[in-house]
């Protein structure tokens, strides 16, 4: 895609406190690293022509493997991580977005429905929605899917004089 044809992502996400635009090179590195550990079945995209309208990413929760490895990959920490990829029954949904022009058109319903089909047909019994924005739209989506909120992470802002 020519750089002149790219949507201005800053315009779409300007209200997100956590959003920091990345360069094309950074995006390539992030994408390459995610694809090394991601299961393609757990990456959901809704496309409108050649443009991404929305996305939802899921990752196996390998927390137990990280604990067993005790923060060390070598000599056998890698074994615990790889083993947990296949054993975990928990899925982390961490990364979701719908570009502004496509909000309110059912893109979220398509993403959640497709992810639910994948979850039910695979190894996962539970899903954790991680780092969900506490806005009415995303919170309402989670609750409609039957989510139970059991922890909150918040960002507070205060001017220091």
């Amino acid at each position: 895609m020519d750089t002149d044809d790219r949507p201005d992502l800053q315009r779409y996400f300007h209200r997100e406190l956590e959003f920091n635009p990345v360069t094309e090179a950074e995006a390539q590195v992030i994408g390459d690293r995610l694809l090394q550990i991601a299961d393609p079945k757990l990456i959901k995209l809704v496309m409108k022509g050649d443009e991404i309208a929305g996305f939802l990413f899921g990752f196996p929760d390998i927390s137990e493997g990280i604990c067993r490895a005790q923060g060390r990959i070598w000599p056998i920490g890698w074994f615990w991580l790889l083993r947990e990829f296949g054993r975990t029954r928990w899925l982390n949904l961490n990364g979701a977005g719908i570009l502004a022009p496509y909000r309110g058109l059912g893109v979220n319903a398509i993403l959640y429905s497709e992810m639910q089909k994948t979850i039910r047909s695979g190894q996962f019994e539970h899903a954790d929605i991680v780092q969900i924005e506490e806005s009415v739209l995303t919170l309402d989506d989670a609750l409609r899917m039957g989510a139970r909120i059991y922890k909150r992470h918040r960002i507070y802002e205060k001017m220091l004089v």
Side-chain angles (χ1 to χ4, degrees), residues 90 126-130 132 139-152:
W90 282 87
H126 311 279
D128 234 356
I129 303 172
V130 183
I132 186 171
L139 185 58
D140 189 47
D141 286 346
L143 293 172
R144 285 180 197 212
M145 291 186 322
R148 180 179 56 87
I149 298 170
Y150 66 97
K151 61 183 168 183
R152 294 177 192 260

Side-chain angles (χ1 to χ4, degrees), residues 48-117:
K48 171 72 173 169
D50 291 338
E51 187 174 302
I52 295 175
F55 60 89
L56 178 61
F57 300 142
F59 301 95
D61 183 351
I62 59 167
S63 302
E64 182 67 29
I66 293 170
C67 289
R68 289 190 163 229
Q70 297 179 346
R72 294 184 209 96
I73 297 294
W74 300 109
I76 63 165
W78 59 270
F79 168 77
W80 297 114
L81 297 177
L82 290 176
R83 184 175 138 189
E84 196 59 26
F85 268 107
R87 293 184 68 193
T88 185
R89 299 289 175 245
W90 282 87
L91 176 69
N92 286 334
L93 299 176
N94 186 357
I98 300 171
L99 294 182
Y102 305 106
R103 292 182 186 154
L105 300 177
V107 172
N108 55 345
I110 294 168
L111 290 169
Y112 298 140
S113 173
E114 290 302 313
M115 186 63 80
Q116 184 180 37
K117 289 177 191 174

